[in-house]
């Protein structure tokens, strides 16, 4: 089994070493490699982004020098949801208790996620729980969704619960 060896010279050409030699050194079999394009410079790929950033910085520096508020800060308005949350937070009397409940809720979600992942690693439990879920879903659909009076009853129950949570206004 004959294999030909290739060597790479410093001029980025491949030379076949096992090729038959001829008397003239310029007649060796050479394959030149294509040159690679230069790497892109980050400022060349998005010049508009750098220009926009520089303009914003210049405006902010000028505003700080004159003592005015920057135009971006003064012109931007908060979304409606943020205003609603701020108003609700201002109405809360016991902020410490609400914050404690929020932190406790986040810890409970984190702990339950860990517990469920530990249960999921047990060999037989996930399959059994999946069967229980499928069975309960089938039972619920048969009991509440198959017949029209049952469907109307569950829809009314959902609407009543929604009104209890939101409150009738």
């Amino acid at each position: 089994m004959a294999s030909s060896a290739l060597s790479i010279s410093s001029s980025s050409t491949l030379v076949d070493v096992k090729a038959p030699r001829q008397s003239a050194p310029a007649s060796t079999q050479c394959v030149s490699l294509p040159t690679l394009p230069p790497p892109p410079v980050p400022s060349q790929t998005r010049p508009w982004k750098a220009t926009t950033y520089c303009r914003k910085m210049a405006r902010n520096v000028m505003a700080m020098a004159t003592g005015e508020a920057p135009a971006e800060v003064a012109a931007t308005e908060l979304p409606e949801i943020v205003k609603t949350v701020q108003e609700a937070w201002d109405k809360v009397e016991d902020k410490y208790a609400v914050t404690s409940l929020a932190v406790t809720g986040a810890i409970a979600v984190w702990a339950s996620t860990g517990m469920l992942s530990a249960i999921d690693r047990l060999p037989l439990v996930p399959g059994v729980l999946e069967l229980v879920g499928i069975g309960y879903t089938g039972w619920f659909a048969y009991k509440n969704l198959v017949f029209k009076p049952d469907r109307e009853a569950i829809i009314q129950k959902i609407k009543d619960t929604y009104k209890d949570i939101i409150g009738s206004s």
Side-chain angles (χ1 to χ4, degrees):
M1 186 172 200
S3 65
S4 65
L6 295 175
S7 68
I8 299 176
S9 67
S10 64
S11 64
S12 298
T13 58
L14 293 175
V15 179
D16 191 357
V17 178
K18 300 254 180 162
R21 302 224 176 209
Q22 297 178 358
S23 61
S27 66
T28 60
Q29 295 177 349
C30 296
V31 177
S32 64
L33 296 174
T35 59
L36 295 174
V41 180
S43 65
Q44 289 177 348
T45 58
R46 289 183 249 158
W48 56 269
K49 196 170 189 179
T51 305
T52 305
Y53 178 74
C54 290
R55 286 182 186 153
K56 284 183 182 178
M57 289 299 294
R59 272 187 259 148
N60 288 342
V61 169
M62 288 172 41
M64 283 188 244
T66 59
E68 300 172 357
E72 290 86 19
V73 176
T76 58
E77 290 186 21
L78 296 175
E80 187 66 31
I81 186 83
V82 175
K83 290 180 181 178
T84 306
V85 169
Q86 284 178 344
E87 290 172 3
W89 183 252
D90 290 339
K91 290 179 184 176
V92 172
E93 292 178 13
D94 195 3
K95 291 180 173 61
Y96 179 75
V98 172
T99 306
S100 299
L101 284 174
V103 169
T104 304
I107 291 171
V109 167
W110 174 72
S112 64
T113 303
M115 184 179 66
L116 287 175
S117 66
I119 288 173
D120 195 35
R121 287 188 214 124
L122 296 174
L124 195 59
V125 174
V128 171
L129 290 178
E130 187 174 352
L131 287 175
V132 168
I134 290 171
Y136 181 76
T137 302
W139 173 80
F140 181 84
Y142 177 75
K143 184 177 185 302
N144 296 312
L145 302 176
V146 173
F147 303 109
K148 188 171 183 172
D150 296 332
R151 272 196 308 267
E152 291 172 353
I154 192 112
I155 290 171
Q156 188 59 41
K157 188 173 183 179
I158 291 171
K159 287 181 180 178
D160 291 342
T161 305
Y162 180 76
K163 286 181 183 176
D164 288 345
I165 292 171
I166 300 298
S168 56
S169 51

